[in-house]
Amino acid sequence: MSEVERTVNIVVALDLDRYDEVLESVRKAGLIIRSKQPAIGTVVGSAPEISLPKLRAVDGVESVEPERVFQV
């Protein structure tokens, strides 16, 4: 029996000088992109929890953090 992969919502900070290049690399590493913020060097998306170490290891990734949701 296979275990169901848990998907997590994350914010990834990318090297601002290589944003487009690194964006493509994290997409290939498993990130499903939901929104891009090139002016501040971040991308929001989701990925299988098991792929987080692979995303963190991509050259040009500065951080991979859980997405924080605020409600009022």
Side-chain angles (χ1 to χ4, degrees):
M1 181 188 312
S2 67
E3 202 174 302
V4 176
E5 286 187 3
R6 184 181 127 155
T7 300
V8 292
N9 294 323
I10 55 176
V11 178
V12 183
L14 310 177
D15 179 340
L16 195 54
D17 294 329
R18 302 179 354 197
Y19 185 86
D20 291 329
E21 171 193 342
V22 182
L23 181 69
E24 181 62 19
S25 295
V26 294
R27 188 192 62 74
K28 288 180 181 177
L31 181 66
I32 299 167
I33 298 167
R34 193 170 70 232
S35 66
K36 300 180 271 188
Q37 301 80 39
I40 60 172
T42 62
V43 60
V44 176
S46 60
E49 190 171 44
I50 196 166
S51 70
L52 296 184
K54 185 177 179 180
L55 287 167
R56 287 184 175 105
V58 170
D59 185 38
V61 168
E62 296 179 356
S63 68
V64 176
E65 301 293 330
E67 179 182 31
R68 294 189 175 100
V69 177
F70 297 94
Q71 295 181 337
V72 180

